[in-house]
Amino acid sequence: MALARIARSGSRRPRGTIGIFTFEKDAPPEGLSKNKYPLPFIGNARAGGNLSYFASNMKVDYSSFWGRGIKMTPQHHFAHAQRIVEESDSEQESTKYPTLEATKPGEKPRVVVLGSGWAACRFLKGLDTKIYDVVCVSPRNHMVFTPLLASTCVGTLEFRSVAEPVSQIQEALAKDPNSYFFLASCTGVDTEKHEVYCQSINNGELSQSHKPYNFKVAYDKLVIAAGAEPLTFGIKGVKEHAFFLREVNHAQEIRKKLLLNLMLSQNPGITEEEKERLLHCVVIGGGPTGVEFSGELSDFIMRDVRQRYTHVKNYIRVTLIEANEILSSFDVGLRQYATKHLTKCGVRLVRGVVREVHPKKIVLSDGSDVPYGLLVWSTGVGPSDFVKSLADLPKSPGGRIGIDDWLKVPSVEDVFAIGDCAGFLEQTGKQVLPALAQVAEREGKYLVELVNKIGKQNGGKAFSMKDIPLGEPFVYKHLGSMASVGRYKALVDLRQSKDEKGISLAGFVSWLIWRSAYLTRVISWRNRFYVAVNWATTLVFGRDNSRI
């Protein structure tokens, strides 16, 4: 008997774990495939079917984990950490893949949230973690306060003032033993197995020692809040040469480029023509983001550039190109005020359509060329490639994920969608809501109340909410729109829609309202303090124009 036990123990393969994931030491998880989306949507995958889509993935050198000193933890420390087995036809060996398996009876149900934007973070903030465990999957570990992002491009605010860590919005992600934040992108969803397929992010040169790999997470409830991507309308050269303004790293790159051009233009040997091109800032899109960035940029030029870059102060200029009218959703009087104020501050307004973008110039539809040194693209957002890949989910007009009156995807169980990635189905009789932070925040607030209510009625587990009444449907009421136009001026439009009458303000009082409203909407008291201090510092000492 003793010899038999020794023989059996000797035949076992050595095994270890990293974090919550279990794998074989001689067969680590495989990495990223060569395709852009290695894990397509598999809504009709059968239970017990093989996972052949992992077969083409590259191997990960897990020796780097030991090199960085990551501690190996026994598997029994994590009840959910199980292994996925795929049998090879040619070899009788099994390959293990990281996974977070389904919750067991007696354990709290798990809510998986995809994204860390306005909708996702408002949902995370209100989720009752006494009822649920929560897992957040996002390629960034913070929320961006987008209304103030334009101010960071010119040094009015520092970048830390507009970024809120997700683990501080929902502390359970950092403290609870069965709640996690995964820095990854979702690449597919299996709504029958209640699983999402993820890929760890690859941050270019910063992660050369870490090759991205695939893993999956089981869910009881899934909240898709993956946001949207900038619209380029298929125009050639936009992605290669233009800057977008949706993330903190976008603002950082814009600030670096702007200050670099200012300093290079002072070097000897620069021709007059090249100097004018380097210092020509072009903004495409006359929505709130484009107008606010143009206003901040013109204010920066009038207050700071003319004092600190006197050799080139007469060369720098701003051009705002819009196909129709700027701020089309605002009152007519406010649009006229914005046009006059921007023009007075030196912003040139051009009505036109971009046909092509080159490294140093853009070509308009009328054939004219516009040289530029900095190009910022702000023409709205549309469905991301991830949302487009979810072919088995219903779509609303415009290509977003289709939802019903309760923000639930009606064709599948336990899946909700909120924010810029979601829109009402045609049969609801409601229009698709605009991609605004206000809309996303209100949807997140409504949904978290609904999900908490479902959990209190024992409907948190998968396939257990069919008989639970959902209550009142979601109704969105627009609270108004605001936009800064620079030089202590702003617009406030409190109408609920374009066709209704309401209060419209413009000028210095509106600017005070704009700043006060956004300061109160900043999530944490820490960041409110940062924003207030940055505003005061900028007012007294000017903007920081050091290129770091």
Side-chain angles (χ1 to χ4, degrees):
M1 293 297 291
L3 291 175
R5 284 195 297 270
I6 294 174
R8 285 196 298 269
S9 64
S11 64
R12 293 173 183 167
R13 299 164 65 105
R15 184 172 60 189
T17 62
I18 290 182
I20 60 168
F21 298 131
T22 303
F23 60 89
E24 294 287 350
K25 288 184 180 177
D26 57 352
E30 295 188 353
L32 178 67
S33 79
K34 297 181 180 180
N35 296 327
K36 186 176 182 182
Y37 296 95
L39 299 178
F41 178 81
I42 48 173
N44 295 324
R46 297 189 302 273
N50 62 29
L51 302 176
S52 58
Y53 49 82
F54 281 113
S56 63
N57 293 344
M58 298 186 300
K59 290 288 181 70
V60 177
D61 181 9
Y62 270 77
S63 62
S64 61
F65 284 105
W66 282 271
R68 291 196 297 270
I70 295 179
K71 184 179 179 181
M72 305 305 295
T73 308
Q75 180 186 358
H76 66 268
H77 282 194
F78 296 92
H80 300 310
Q82 301 295 331
R83 53 185 180 173
I84 308 171
V85 181
E86 180 186 20
E87 294 295 338
S88 173
D89 294 332
S90 58
E91 300 178 0
Q92 297 300 321
E93 295 183 359
S94 60
T95 305
K96 313 302 177 186
Y97 299 97
T99 184
L100 187 61
E101 286 293 345
T103 56
K104 298 177 181 179
E107 297 176 337
K108 290 191 292 186
R110 181 187 302 133
V111 177
V112 174
V113 181
L114 306 181
S116 58
W118 280 83
C121 288
R122 184 60 185 85
F123 178 88
L124 288 170
K125 183 179 180 181
L127 188 66
D128 190 346
T129 53
K130 295 180 181 179
I131 302 175
Y132 294 101
D133 289 325
V134 58
V135 172
C136 180
V137 179
S138 176
R140 68 183 189 195
N141 68 341
H142 59 274
M143 171 192 167
V144 180
F145 194 83
T146 48
L148 297 177
L149 191 58
S151 298
T152 65
C153 298
V154 295
T156 305
L157 295 176
E158 290 303 318
F159 301 111
R160 67 184 300 181
S161 302
V162 299
E164 191 72 41
V166 176
S167 60
Q168 293 187 11
I169 295 173
Q170 176 50 264
E171 293 184 354
L173 295 171
K175 297 181 178 180
D176 286 8
N178 294 320
S179 294
Y180 309 97
F181 173 83
F182 296 146
L183 193 67
S185 297
C186 182
T187 56
V189 180
D190 188 334
T191 56
E192 292 186 2
K193 292 184 177 181
H194 275 48
E195 294 173 342
V196 294
Y197 299 90
C198 306
Q199 177 187 90
S200 63
I201 65 166
N202 180 13
N203 196 22
E205 296 180 357
L206 297 179
S207 59
Q208 287 183 352
S209 60
H210 165 71
K211 296 180 181 178
Y213 63 94
N214 300 316
F215 61 93
K216 72 176 185 177
V217 179
Y219 65 85
D220 292 294
K221 296 290 183 288
L222 175 64
V223 177
I224 304 176
E229 293 181 352
L231 280 175
T232 63
F233 305 101
I235 298 173
K236 182 180 178 181
V238 174
K239 292 184 178 180
E240 293 80 5
H241 308 301
F243 291 95
F244 302 108
L245 189 53
R246 291 183 57 79
E247 303 288 346
V248 171
N249 65 296
H250 295 163
Q252 290 172 330
E253 293 301 320
I254 291 172
R255 183 170 173 176
K256 289 180 181 179
K257 181 68 172 178
L258 176 62
L259 296 177
L260 176 64
N261 288 352
L262 278 167
M263 289 181 283
L264 287 178
S265 63
Q266 298 184 100
N267 289 349
I270 301 293
T271 64
E272 294 291 310
E273 182 181 0
E274 179 66 7
K275 190 178 294 185
E276 289 183 354
R277 184 194 68 80
L278 280 173
L279 297 179
H280 187 200
C281 306
V282 178
V283 182
I284 308 297
T289 301
V291 168
E292 288 188 343
F293 177 73
S294 300
E296 285 281 354
L297 195 54
S298 66
D299 194 24
F300 172 65
I301 294 170
M302 296 179 70
R303 290 192 58 199
D304 298 85
V305 171
R306 291 185 177 180
Q307 294 180 9
R308 304 176 186 180
Y309 298 91
T310 55
H311 298 292
V312 296
K313 65 180 181 180
N314 296 325
Y315 292 89
I316 188 166
R317 56 198 175 100
V318 182
T319 298
L320 175 60
I321 300 177
E322 168 58 40
N324 299 304
E325 293 186 7
I326 65 171
L327 300 174
S328 58
S329 62
F330 282 69
D331 179 73
V332 176
L334 296 181
R335 294 203 299 266
Q336 294 175 349
Y337 179 90
T339 301
K340 292 179 180 179
H341 180 76
L342 290 174
T343 303
K344 182 180 178 181
C345 292
V347 179
R348 178 176 170 233
L349 301 179
V350 175
R351 181 169 294 186
V353 177
V354 178
R355 187 175 68 189
E356 195 172 356
V357 177
H358 296 277
K360 296 183 178 181
K361 69 176 183 179
I362 60 175
V363 181
L364 301 182
S365 58
D366 59 3
S368 60
D369 294 342
V370 181
Y372 69 87
L374 172 67
L375 178 63
V376 177
W377 193 272
S378 176
T379 58
V381 296
S384 64
D385 290 336
F386 166 66
V387 171
K388 293 177 183 177
S389 71
L390 303 179
D392 286 6
L393 294 187
K395 296 296 194 302
S396 68
R400 301 185 190 181
I401 299 173
I403 54 176
D404 60 16
D405 291 334
W406 294 269
L407 310 183
K408 188 171 73 71
V409 181
S411 60
V412 295
E413 291 287 336
D414 302 317
V415 178
F416 302 86
I418 53 178
D420 295 350
C421 70
F424 288 116
L425 292 166
E426 290 185 3
Q427 53 264 36
T428 63
K430 297 181 178 180
Q431 293 184 347
V432 176
L433 297 174
L436 300 175
Q438 182 182 161
V439 175
E441 185 181 30
R442 299 281 293 283
E443 288 180 342
K445 181 180 179 180
Y446 170 86
L447 183 59
V448 74
E449 293 175 355
L450 176 62
V451 171
N452 286 340
K453 173 185 173 183
I454 292 171
K456 292 176 181 178
Q457 299 182 34
N458 298 321
K461 288 287 188 178
F463 305 104
S464 63
M465 58 175 285
K466 292 182 179 180
D467 299 327
I468 295 178
L470 300 181
E472 295 295 325
F474 174 74
V475 177
Y476 173 71
K477 292 183 180 180
H478 189 61
L479 299 179
S481 302
M482 294 182 293
S484 171
V485 291
R487 295 298 295 170
Y488 310 112
K489 301 293 190 295
L491 314 176
V492 176
D493 189 351
L494 300 181
R495 299 176 303 158
Q496 291 191 1
S497 68
K498 293 175 61 176
D499 301 326
E500 295 184 10
K501 295 182 180 180
I503 300 174
S504 298
L505 302 173
F508 180 73
V509 175
S510 299
W511 177 80
L512 291 177
I513 296 174
W514 175 81
R515 281 207 165 180
S516 300
Y518 282 152
L519 186 61
T520 59
R521 300 309 299 165
V522 174
I523 291 182
S524 69
W525 283 102
R526 183 200 66 172
N527 275 20
R528 291 176 191 174
F529 175 76
Y530 287 158
V531 170
V533 169
N534 289 165
W535 279 340
T537 304
T538 300
L539 181 64
V540 177
F541 301 107
R543 296 173 176 84
D544 175 21
N545 63 349
S546 57
R547 186 177 186 271
I548 301 175

